[in-house]
């Protein structure tokens, strides 16, 4: 979840200053251009009714259009309607604002945020470390009535996995994860379908038997769960004896296990294949199982959920690539990836290559010459439109992958458009007088990402 350490919500006042839609009495059918409603109050009313026939149900574009008109209108007046500060991180998801480590929730959909619930205070060791908002899919049927309501899936400091009602703050389900490793991070594997719990890299509490079994070579544990209905997929250990001594991190995304190495190597594995081949025993939350000769209940203390996916040999990888800082992105159609080659001379330069044969796309080297403290960044657009967004301190470039015919290159990177920040590059002369009285002049160029020039 995105988080910030301060929050201030503002709304616009004068919304009636926009022009009304001109009416063409001579036409029985109004064209698309003249049917655009410019009055923001009318747009908000039509948005709640869903009466935008030409928008393709793209509510994000409608919201951005309303926001753009409010912000860019010269006659708009803004005033502060609500302010709240917090010593801990402030998290936001789907119109909900979370304070006090997710224990206090406000609804931000109203004109002034209203408190939805506040959970009782708890010891510091039991605080919520990370959380995800889960929403029930439309058209699915479930056995439990509670699964039809949105919930917050949270991991606590004392290794409990909680499912909390997003409307009341009541705990719906709770599962004990065990004491062999502290789980701290939670993220989606497949959004609203499966999620991953990731443990800390260093052991904090280790059982003697687990120390013998793992030999102290396990870097992290990854626990995968299904949501709605709530179920365990499996717990996988990342062992340096299997993946190599230079393993630094790992994560699961879209069913792919991504393993990163200190030498800049990134390798992809199929998590489904690993779980089918190396799962020692299938575990069901709340049911008893025989583990190492003893009968235990899965998800209940002190047993919790043991690691049931243990690799005994190095598996074959699906894909590997070497890059700087393990920065590796996949997207486009057909699949391409973006990296910075793993050499110092390529720092700040991005390559766009095919995942099929690692071939470089035509115009696939992106190098924006900018003088800034923070580097530029690039990523595939999240709407699967084959577009690529490249952002520098003073420009934004929207790129696109296109297939080529009768060319030595299979694909080409073309620029749809660029947005440039028109700024005057100022060069200031810095004058220093030495102890002997000599005047030394130095020319200082202003950085592209200077806070005073930020756009």
């Amino acid at each position: 979840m995105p988080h910030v350490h301060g929050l201030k919500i503002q709304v616009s006042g004068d919304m009636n200053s926009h022009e009304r839609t001109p009416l063409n009495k001579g036409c029985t059918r109004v064209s698309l251009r003249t049917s655009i409603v410019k009055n923001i109050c009318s747009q908000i009313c039509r948005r709640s009714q869903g009466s935008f026939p030409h928008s393709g149900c793209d509510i994000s574009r409608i919201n951005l259009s309303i926001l753009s008109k409010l912000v860019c209108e010269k006659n708009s007046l803004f005033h502060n309607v609500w302010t709240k500060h917090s010593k801990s991180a402030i998290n936001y998801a789907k119109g909900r604002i979370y304070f006090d480590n997710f224990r206090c929730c406000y609804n931000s959909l109203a004109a002034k945020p209203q408190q939805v619930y506040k959970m009782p205070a708890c010891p510091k060791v039991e605080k919520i470390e990370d959380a995800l908002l889960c929403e029930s899919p439309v058209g699915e049927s479930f056995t439990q009535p509670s699964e039809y309501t949105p919930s917050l899936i949270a991991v606590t400091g004392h290794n409990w996995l909680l499912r909390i009602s997003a409307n009341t703050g009541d705990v719906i389900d709770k599962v004990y994860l065990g004491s062999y490793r502290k789980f701290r991070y939670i993220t989606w594997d497949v959004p609203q379908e499966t999620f991953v719990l990731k443990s800390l890299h260093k052991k904090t509490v280790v059982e003697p038997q687990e120390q013998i079994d793992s030999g102290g070579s396990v870097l992290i544990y990854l626990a995968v769960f299904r949501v709605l209905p709530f179920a365990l997929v499996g717990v996988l250990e990342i062992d340096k004896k299997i993946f190599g001594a230079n393993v630094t991190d790992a994560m699961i995304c879209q069913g792919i296990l991504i393993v990163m190495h200190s030498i800049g190597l990134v390798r992809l594995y199929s998590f489904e294949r690993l779980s089918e081949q190396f799962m020692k025993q299938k575990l069901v939350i709340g049911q008893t199982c025989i583990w190492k000769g003893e009968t235990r209940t899965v998800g209940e203390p002190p047993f919790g959920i043991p690691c049931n996916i243990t690799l005994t040999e190095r598996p074959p990888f699906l894909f590997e690539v070497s890059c700087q800082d393990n920065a590796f992105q996949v997207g486009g159609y057909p699949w391409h990836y973006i990296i910075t080659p793993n050499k110092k001379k390529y720092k700040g330069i991005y390559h766009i290559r095919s995942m099929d044969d690692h071939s470089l796309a035509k115009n696939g080297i992106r190098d924006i010459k900018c003088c800034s403290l923070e580097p530029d960044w690039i990523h595939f657009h999240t709407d699967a439109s084959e577009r690529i967004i490249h952002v520098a301190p003073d420009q934004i470039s929207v790129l696109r992958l296109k297939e080529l015919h009768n060319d030595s290159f299979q694909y080409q990177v073309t620029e749809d458009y660029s947005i440039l920040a028109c700024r005057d590059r100022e060069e200031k002369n810095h004058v220093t007088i030495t102890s002997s009285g000599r005047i030394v002049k130095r020319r200082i160029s202003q950085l592209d990402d200077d806070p005073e020039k930020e756009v």
Side-chain angles (χ1 to χ4, degrees), residues 107-302:
N107 191 330
S108 64
L109 300 179
K112 183 177 180 181
Q114 304 294 327
Q115 181 173 301
V116 179
Y117 65 82
K118 185 174 183 180
M119 300 174 66
C122 68
K124 188 176 181 179
V125 294
E126 299 180 8
K127 72 173 184 177
I128 296 176
E129 298 287 349
D130 202 359
L132 292 174
L133 182 63
C134 178
E135 296 180 316
S136 177
V138 179
E140 297 288 338
S141 58
F142 304 103
T143 57
Q144 300 295 332
S146 60
E147 294 177 344
Y148 289 96
T149 59
S151 59
L152 197 68
I153 302 174
V155 57
T156 67
H158 60 320
N159 262 19
W160 280 86
L161 179 64
L162 307 179
R163 194 159 71 92
I164 304 169
S165 171
N167 298 327
T168 63
D170 298 331
V171 177
I172 302 172
D173 292 314
K174 56 188 303 186
V175 177
Y176 182 60
L177 299 172
S179 59
Y180 57 91
R181 186 62 62 95
K182 291 292 185 182
F183 288 90
R184 281 293 179 273
Y185 312 103
I186 182 171
T187 184
W188 289 113
D189 171 23
V190 179
Q192 304 298 329
E193 292 184 15
T194 55
F195 65 91
V196 183
L197 287 177
K198 181 179 177 181
S199 70
L200 294 174
H201 282 61
K202 294 183 180 180
K203 295 182 192 279
T204 52
V205 179
V206 182
E207 296 292 334
Q209 186 61 39
E210 291 289 335
Q211 179 71 28
I212 295 173
D213 294 344
S214 65
S217 60
V218 177
L219 179 68
I220 57 173
Y221 290 89
L222 300 173
V224 183
F225 293 82
R226 288 192 186 92
V227 295
L228 305 174
F230 199 61
L232 171 70
V233 176
V235 181
L236 170 67
E237 65 179 16
I238 304 300
D239 196 332
K240 290 186 176 182
K241 290 181 179 179
I242 301 297
F243 293 98
N246 56 7
V247 173
T248 58
D249 204 356
M251 182 44 67
I252 297 175
C253 181
Q254 297 292 334
I256 299 296
L257 171 65
I258 307 169
V259 179
M260 289 155 275
H261 300 257
S262 59
I263 57 176
L265 192 65
V266 177
R267 284 177 173 166
L268 309 183
Y269 303 84
S270 170
F271 174 72
E272 182 180 2
R273 184 183 301 174
L274 295 181
S275 60
E276 291 176 354
Q277 184 177 355
F278 297 103
M279 182 178 289
K280 296 187 292 186
Q281 182 178 347
K282 187 172 181 60
L283 303 175
V284 180
I285 297 174
Q287 295 186 7
T288 58
C289 70
I290 299 177
W291 188 265
K292 297 180 180 180
E294 298 183 6
T295 302
R296 303 291 184 91
T297 303
V298 180
E300 295 291 338

Side-chain angles (χ1 to χ4, degrees), residues 359-402:
S359 61
L360 183 68
K362 190 174 184 178
N363 302 328
I365 299 178
R366 297 291 301 174
D367 182 16
I368 294 183
K369 304 295 184 181
C370 58
C371 179
S372 60
L373 295 176
E374 296 295 330
D376 55 321
W377 50 271
I378 186 171
H379 65 79
F380 288 98
H381 201 291
T382 56
D383 64 356
S385 62
E386 305 173 25
R387 290 183 295 176
I388 301 172
I389 312 298
H390 194 176
V391 179
D394 58 352
Q395 65 175 299
I396 299 175
S397 298
V398 179
L399 315 172
R400 188 181 297 273
L401 276 170
K402 290 186 177 181

Side-chain angles (χ1 to χ4, degrees), residues 309-321:
I309 305 177
T310 304
L311 277 64
T312 56
E313 61 184 11
R314 179 174 295 182
F317 54 81
L318 302 175
F319 183 86
E320 75 169 352
V321 67

